[in-house]
Amino acid sequence: AEQGCIQFWLRNRWQGNDDKTYVFFDIGDEFYNRIRLYKDGANNFRFVIWGAKSEHGIFYDVSHWQAGEWHHIRANWYGDKMELYLDGEKSGWGHRGAVKMPIQLARYFFIGSDSTGSQQAESVIDEFAIYSGPVT
């Protein structure tokens, strides 16, 4: 929970400007103490960390993404920082100040949907990896 990296290739089956939500990675049983990577209904790719009583997030507009394209995703968290890289470029806005990391994480994580299964990725996910520290 204190640090790590999630990295994968994503081939979306949807247009980036479709105003729909797709979840690629989710770990957390409740609202807090959670990490999620997803595209929101405002067409932003989001990396969100919920601590015990806080929420921190980075978002990046992906409305220009076309269906069938491959994109490389990398999300790092460590110390009190978080980073989002899309296609090798540091991306995103929204994070300000020190990130409060989760105290603990759920026992299971979900790739390709949220923890309830109600929000699917509708994408191909390849070379998915989780690391115990940030990757540069």
Side-chain angles (χ1 to χ4, degrees), residues 3-5 8 19 31 34-35 40 42 50 52 55 62 65 70-72 78-79 83-84 88 107 116 121 125-126 128:
Q3 66 176 8
C5 175
F8 58 95
D19 302 329
F31 184 79
R34 173 179 234 109
I35 297 174
D40 68 15
W50 288 271
E55 176 182 340
V62 294
W65 283 10
W70 281 100
H71 298 282
H72 187 259
Y78 56 96
E83 303 168 332
L84 175 64
R107 183 175 211 166
T116 67
I125 296 173
D126 196 15
F128 186 94

Side-chain angles (χ1 to χ4, degrees), residues 2 9 29 37 54 77 84 94 110 121:
E2 298 86 26
W9 284 92
D29 293 328
L37 291 162
S54 63
W77 67 97
L84 175 64
F110 299 84

Side-chain angles (χ1 to χ4, degrees), residues 62-96:
V62 294
S63 61
H64 60 283
W65 283 10
Q66 299 297 309
E69 295 177 337
W70 281 100
H71 298 282
H72 187 259
I73 314 301
R74 185 172 75 230
N76 288 320
W77 67 97
Y78 56 96
D80 63 354
K81 298 177 179 22
M82 59 191 301
E83 303 168 332
L84 175 64
Y85 293 83
L86 300 177
D87 297 323
E89 299 291 325
K90 194 169 187 178
S91 304
W93 301 270
H95 163 64
R96 300 276 193 270

Side-chain angles (χ1 to χ4, degrees), residues 12-126:
N12 48 300
R13 294 182 176 164
W14 34 262
Q15 294 297 114
N17 63 354
D18 70 356
D19 302 329
K20 294 182 181 175
T21 299
Y22 305 99
V23 178
F24 314 112
F25 176 84
D26 191 25
I27 183 167
D29 293 328
E30 300 175 13
F31 184 79
Y32 292 110
N33 292 311
R34 173 179 234 109
I35 297 174
R36 182 180 281 181
L37 291 162
Y38 66 107
K39 178 196 162 288
D40 68 15
N43 303 317
N44 295 301
F45 193 100
R46 298 183 68 91
F47 171 34
V48 181
I49 295 175
W50 288 271
K53 295 183 180 183
S54 63
E55 176 182 340
H56 302 277
I58 298 174
F59 64 93
Y60 183 77
D61 179 12
V62 294
S63 61
H64 60 283
W65 283 10
Q66 299 297 309
E69 295 177 337
W70 281 100
H71 298 282
H72 187 259
I73 314 301
R74 185 172 75 230
N76 288 320
W77 67 97
Y78 56 96
D80 63 354
K81 298 177 179 22
M82 59 191 301
E83 303 168 332
L84 175 64
Y85 293 83
L86 300 177
D87 297 323
E89 299 291 325
K90 194 169 187 178
S91 304
W93 301 270
H95 163 64
R96 300 276 193 270
V99 176
K100 305 288 189 218
M101 296 298 167
I103 294 171
Q104 64 183 24
L105 290 171
R107 183 175 211 166
Y108 302 103
F109 60 83
F110 299 84
I111 300 170
S113 77
D114 66 342
S115 61
T116 67
S118 63
Q119 295 177 314
Q120 302 291 314
E122 295 186 31
S123 302
V124 174
I125 296 173
D126 196 15

